[in-house]
Amino acid sequence: MAGPTMPQSLSRRRPAPTGDEEATNILKLGDMTDTPALSVAECKVLLEQLASKGGRGTSNSDVYTKTREYVDMFARFKDPKTVTQVDAISSGLLMKGLTHFERAQLATLCCDSPDEARTLIPSLENKLTDEELQDVLNDISKLRDFS
């Protein structure tokens, strides 16, 4: 007696990773190198705006719901005005040679010291002095909501 047969897969195969994406001392983002990146808090604000405008399919989508739960839990900044202030602080770093990815990581991780920031984001090495990085980290930390 034969068991049940599996239906034919209708999805496409995912292309194999190219292996050129790497977030170490040398930042390699492949096709995403110049693509703007969002911090978790910016993503939270964006999803809230989408929901408030009655975005099509947002409330019924499992991906939307899980993403919303994730950003609600991990966003360090909850108020949209604060998120805008953090974005303004971190966007100034783009002029100093940081990438969008590094900017988003600094805004998301809220590091306490330059050493911690360089440990978590190794590509920051030799891009900012300790003083410059500490000033940015202090400005971001002042806006943080610990509720």
Side-chain angles (χ1 to χ4, degrees):
M1 184 186 274
T5 59
M6 296 297 292
Q8 182 180 8
S9 175
L10 300 176
S11 63
R12 293 179 282 172
R13 289 195 172 271
R14 176 188 286 185
T18 60
D20 61 348
E21 293 88 8
E22 192 174 280
T24 59
N25 289 352
I26 299 170
L27 194 60
K28 298 178 189 174
L29 300 177
D31 295 340
M32 305 298 281
T33 299
D34 296 322
T35 304
L38 295 175
S39 68
V40 174
E42 289 169 321
C43 185
K44 177 181 177 2
V45 169
L46 188 68
L47 291 176
E48 287 172 352
Q49 290 174 349
L50 183 64
S52 70
K53 293 180 181 179
R56 188 173 51 133
T58 55
S59 61
N60 297 335
S61 168
D62 188 42
V63 172
Y64 173 83
T65 303
K66 289 183 183 208
T67 304
R68 185 78 187 260
E69 290 170 359
Y70 178 88
V71 298
D72 284 343
M73 181 177 295
F74 292 106
R76 304 278 180 135
F77 307 99
K78 311 289 184 190
D79 180 53
K81 290 180 182 176
T82 306
V83 173
T84 302
Q85 290 174 317
V86 172
D87 180 48
I89 292 167
S90 61
S91 290
L93 297 172
L94 296 174
M95 302 300 236
K96 295 184 182 229
L98 268 66
T99 65
H100 292 281
F101 174 80
E102 293 163 329
R103 181 209 64 82
Q105 290 298 301
L106 281 173
T108 295
L109 296 172
C110 298
C111 301
D112 291 325
S113 69
D115 288 337
E116 180 183 9
R118 287 190 178 97
T119 299
L120 296 175
I121 312 165
S123 60
L124 290 177
E125 197 65 44
N126 300 322
K127 289 191 176 182
L128 297 171
T129 66
D130 282 350
E131 294 79 23
E132 290 173 319
L133 189 52
Q134 187 65 59
D135 288 344
V136 170
L137 297 175
N138 289 342
D139 290 343
I140 292 172
S141 182
K142 288 176 191 173
L143 299 171
R144 208 164 147 202
D145 180 16
F146 289 98
S147 58

